[in-house]
Amino acid sequence: MDKCAVYPGTFDPITNGHLDIVERAAKLFSKIIVAVGENPEKTPLFSHNERFELVKEAVSALELPNITVGQFTGLLAQYAQDTDATAIIRGLRAVSDFEHEFQMALANRKLFPDAETVFLMPSEPFVYLNSSMVKVIARNDGNISQFVPPCVEKALLEKIGGIK
Ligand code: COA
């Protein structure tokens, strides 16, 4: 039986840490939808559409046949239901992620009991990485090439160069 999982995030922007999770998830499920959403508490640097396009480009470079990219607004649980997903993938990097992830997983389970949240650990070099850190390094002219795929590095330098 086909098992579809949604991997949601703000992806502002997608990093090598997120891509590491995508690769791990692709081995476990027959289909993964990397879903670009909105966290109402965040003001993203990249627009929804820019984030979606960057995720598409970064994911296609992985050359994995069972990954698609989607986008959603509103509730993740609704999107998971609409796409017939049986799992929601989240990366768990440190204990500090736990409380927020635990709350989200329980809320999503209440809203859509048929999907289980599955936590995956990224490989060690990405355990400390997040999108905010990458943006700070880029704004301060640091080298981000080890943290993000080439398309994101280019987009970040253009975006931040334009803002400075
Ligand atoms: N490697 C590197 N960084 C990672 C990572 C990994 N494997 N996994 C997460 N992160 C980072 C992200 O880059 C991000 O960093 P930032 O805060 O510096 O930007 C942070 O961890 C978490 O962001 P993200 O993964 O985008 O999750 P989020 O907590 O912002 O949630 C949604 C995004 C879209 C999944 C969530 O807001 C959502 O579901 N929204 C819809 C409304 C809803 O249904 N809410 C839940 C029920 S109330």
Side-chain angles (χ1 to χ4, degrees), residues 13 45-46 134-135 144 152-160:
L45 176 66
F46 291 98
V134 168
K135 286 178 275 190
I144 51 168
V152 170
E153 182 180 14
K154 183 167 172 282
L156 255 178
L157 295 180
E158 279 170 17
K159 176 75 88 179
I160 284 171

Side-chain angles (χ1 to χ4, degrees), residues 21-118:
I21 297 289
V22 172
E23 286 184 299
R24 287 171 195 283
K27 292 180 195 151
L28 299 175
F29 294 91
S30 36
K31 183 180 166 198
I32 305 289
I33 306 172
V34 184
V36 181
E38 296 289 355
N39 180 342
E41 283 151 38
K42 287 183 178 170
T43 311
L45 176 66
F46 291 98
S47 71
H48 198 130
N49 207 45
E50 286 170 331
R51 286 180 279 128
F52 175 63
E53 291 300 328
L54 285 173
V55 171
K56 273 205 298 197
E57 196 172 341
V59 164
S60 76
L62 298 177
E63 296 183 352
L64 292 167
N66 58 338
I67 317 281
T68 59
V69 180
Q71 49 185 334
F72 70 101
T73 51
L75 290 177
L76 170 60
Q78 188 60 50
Y79 183 76
Q81 194 165 355
D82 294 345
T83 52
D84 291 326
T86 52
I88 294 168
I89 306 286
R90 295 288 291 170
L92 200 57
R93 293 159 301 161
V95 178
S96 52
D97 284 345
F98 182 76
E99 192 152 344
H100 171 67
E101 294 299 337
F102 187 63
Q103 280 177 358
M104 281 220 311
L106 291 181
N108 286 327
R109 182 192 274 168
K110 275 266 176 248
L111 294 167
F112 181 37
D114 289 347
E116 289 296 335
T117 298
V118 175

